[in-house]
Amino acid sequence: MNKKTIIIGGGAAGCFAAIFSAENGSETVIIEPNDRLGKKLSITGKGRCNITNDCDRDTFLKNISRNPSFLNGAISRFDTKDCMDFIESLGVPLKTERGNRVFPVSDKASDIVNALSERAERLGVKIIRDRAVKINCSQEEKKVIGVKTEKGFIHGDKVVLATGGLSYPATGSTGDGYKMARALGHTVTPLSPSLVPLETMTDCLPMAGLNIKNALFTLLDNEKKKKLFSEQGEFTFERYGIGGPLTLSASSRMDYITEGRYTVSIDFKPALDEKKLDLRLLREISAAPSKTAYDIMRTLLPEKLVSAIIHEAVVPDCRKAGEITAKERKALISALKDFKLDIKAFRPIKEAIITDGGICVKEINPADMQSKLIKGLHFAGEIIDVSGYTGGFNLQIAYSTAKAAAVL
């Protein structure tokens, strides 16, 4: 008799686990309450799906922020190249962009989701539209015997818990998996948002919606007097603070937030040093000495940002350009090169891309993701206390752990 594998959750980890399980000869079912598989996967990368990162294993592990050593075996057996080969074997051509981020050539996450769904269907994976509420075990052997759902009971020899975290609850990540694991004696480490927008002490409402394409973004830990992150790229001003790629990357380097602990420094002109920027300002002033400070700064910045920079430099915006002093020029340059935002809080976990924390890795066998407490119970994806930085690393965690959980 074939072994029956039950996958709880039809996201990235669940889909991969189901496909690998079925390819390995196991009768496989997915329990998924959503009307379609891969709901969260379909919105990743702004709907483009940053499927993985085209890097070697050492680089991959350096981009894992929590428990990287736990992934040594899983990434060795199914690495980023294996993932790319697998996706292209499903008929979805891929391309590599800045930062070695890998996307479908079509820029459509739906192509990935559809390809995975079709592959699962061809392999005979059964999709059960239901919600799992409890994993049942035999008391004597501490071994999985099946899953209780809202509509009934499904017998199985093996369960892969792949329910995700708490981020994007509208996609189905509601924390059910943590409850089921706790009920079986597993430890869930503290849960917090990661890869999440940040609220600032500074009022960013006047700049809300402004997308800055090329800034040098530096995160400082004032408590430890340490630079935690510095990268050039893109971020967005929001009504509550800041979001966008650089903000999300910086947030994953942050621990608990207390007043005054974290500051973001933004260089809006990274291509110009202070001397070159001063010469640029002098040229603008010489060309139009009767214009106001506001008009001069408008030649250098998007309009929504001008007042904030002038206010930071404490220069009256109606000051005639020809009357701007050397001291005021220096203050303007400082505001352009070192615009500071004090961080107040993470945005709610429901807005985070991933959840930090999860099933304690000490209670999971890293070779096959099997519980050390319950035979036949395996874990895959975000539910495990492992996470990485932006760039496709967290999705790769899902695939690699799914392969280990489903096959070994």
Side-chain angles (χ1 to χ4, degrees):
M1 182 184 292
N2 284 349
K3 178 180 279 190
K4 184 173 182 179
T5 299
I6 303 169
I7 315 289
I8 304 178
C15 286
F16 271 74
I19 290 169
F20 295 140
S21 173
E23 287 179 342
N24 205 42
S26 177
E27 180 187 350
T28 304
V29 300
I30 297 176
I31 302 174
E32 170 56 59
N34 285 321
D35 57 357
R36 66 184 189 276
L37 299 178
K39 196 168 182 180
K40 185 176 176 182
L41 189 60
S42 68
I43 63 171
T44 60
K46 298 181 180 178
R48 295 176 63 217
C49 191
N50 178 191
I51 193 73
T52 189
N53 192 283
D54 187 6
C55 65
D56 60 34
R57 293 171 199 176
D58 287 344
T59 301
F60 174 82
L61 291 171
K62 285 176 184 173
N63 280 277
I64 303 304
S65 52
R66 289 178 74 95
N67 299 313
S69 60
F70 176 79
L71 291 173
N72 268 321
I75 193 65
S76 295
R77 288 186 293 273
F78 190 78
D79 63 16
T80 63
K81 301 289 187 188
D82 296 326
C83 170
M84 293 167 68
D85 290 344
F86 174 73
I87 293 296
E88 293 198 313
S89 77
L90 299 181
V92 182
L94 301 174
K95 61 181 177 179
T96 301
E97 297 186 359
R98 181 181 58 83
N100 295 321
R101 291 167 166 83
V102 180
F103 295 88
V105 169
S106 65
D107 286 329
K108 293 180 181 177
S110 57
D111 286 353
I112 303 288
V113 175
N114 292 339
L116 292 171
S117 299
E118 289 165 10
R119 178 62 178 157
E121 185 179 352
R122 283 196 302 272
L123 288 166
V125 174
K126 184 179 180 182
I127 315 298
I128 298 176
R129 305 295 177 187
D130 200 351
R131 184 177 294 278
V133 294
K134 182 182 179 183
I135 298 167
N136 289 66
C137 304
S138 61
Q139 292 302 311
E140 305 79 23
E141 299 179 86
K142 293 290 183 184
K143 186 178 186 304
V144 162
I145 57 173
V147 176
K148 182 183 178 183
T149 71
E150 289 180 341
K151 298 176 183 177
F153 182 79
I154 303 167
H155 289 277
D157 311 287
K158 176 177 180 175
V159 170
V160 179
L161 195 52
T163 49
L166 290 173
S167 57
Y168 290 110
T171 66
S173 299
T174 55
D176 291 354
Y178 301 129
K179 296 173 189 174
M180 287 184 271
R182 280 195 188 103
L184 296 172
H186 272 285
T187 304
V188 177
T189 63
L191 305 173
S192 62
S194 186
L195 304 182
V196 66
L198 299 170
E199 296 180 10
T200 59
M201 302 291 288
T202 311
D203 179 16
C204 289
L205 186 59
M207 291 93 79
L210 181 60
N211 187 37
I212 305 296
K213 293 283 189 182
N214 187 28
L216 180 62
F217 187 107
T218 301
L219 175 67
L220 305 167
D221 185 335
N222 302 313
E223 195 175 279
K224 295 182 179 178
K225 295 180 170 50
K226 186 179 178 182
K227 184 190 295 184
L228 299 181
F229 171 83
S230 188
E231 194 170 295
Q232 195 166 320
E234 180 181 347
F235 78 98
T236 307
F237 282 106
E238 306 286 356
R239 56 180 177 75
Y240 50 77
I242 49 176
L246 289 176
T247 305
L248 300 184
S249 293
S251 73
S252 66
R253 271 76 168 180
M254 298 168 71
D255 199 352
Y256 63 91
I257 297 177
T258 54
E259 186 174 344
R261 178 174 181 183
Y262 294 110
T263 299
V264 167
S265 168
I266 300 165
D267 181 351
F268 291 104
K269 297 293 176 183
L272 299 174
D273 61 24
E274 291 187 9
K275 186 176 179 180
K276 288 179 181 176
L277 194 52
D278 191 32
L279 290 172
R280 170 79 187 273
L281 265 178
L282 285 169
R283 283 200 305 273
E284 297 291 344
I285 290 167
S286 297
S290 61
K291 284 190 174 182
T292 64
Y294 185 97
D295 293 330
I296 294 299
M297 296 309 291
R298 182 68 187 87
T299 65
L300 297 171
L301 296 166
E303 190 165 7
K304 274 190 171 185
L305 193 55
V306 173
S307 291
I309 294 294
I310 290 177
H311 181 266
E312 179 81 3
V314 199
V315 175
D317 57 8
C318 58
R319 173 71 51 85
K320 294 294 183 185
E323 298 172 1
I324 295 174
T325 66
K327 184 179 179 181
E328 287 173 331
R329 275 202 331 274
K330 187 175 180 180
L332 287 168
I333 290 165
S334 178
L336 284 167
K337 299 288 288 180
D338 186 20
F339 185 78
K340 287 187 167 62
L341 296 167
D342 291 322
I343 305 304
K344 180 169 66 174
F346 294 115
R347 288 294 289 168
I349 199 166
K350 66 181 181 181
E351 296 180 27
I353 291 179
I354 61 164
T355 305
D356 256 355
I359 309 300
C360 179
V361 296
K362 292 178 181 178
E363 300 170 358
I364 303 172
N365 186 331
D368 60 0
M369 302 298 143
Q370 183 168 205
S371 164
K372 292 180 180 179
L373 311 181
I374 306 293
K375 294 176 185 176
L377 172 61
H378 301 248
F379 301 96
E382 191 179 346
I383 194 170
I384 305 170
D385 184 16
V386 184
S387 56
Y389 301 135
T390 52
F393 300 103
N394 288 290
L395 279 177
Q396 184 63 46
I397 291 171
Y399 320 140
S400 296
T401 55
K403 178 76 181 263
V407 175
L408 293 182

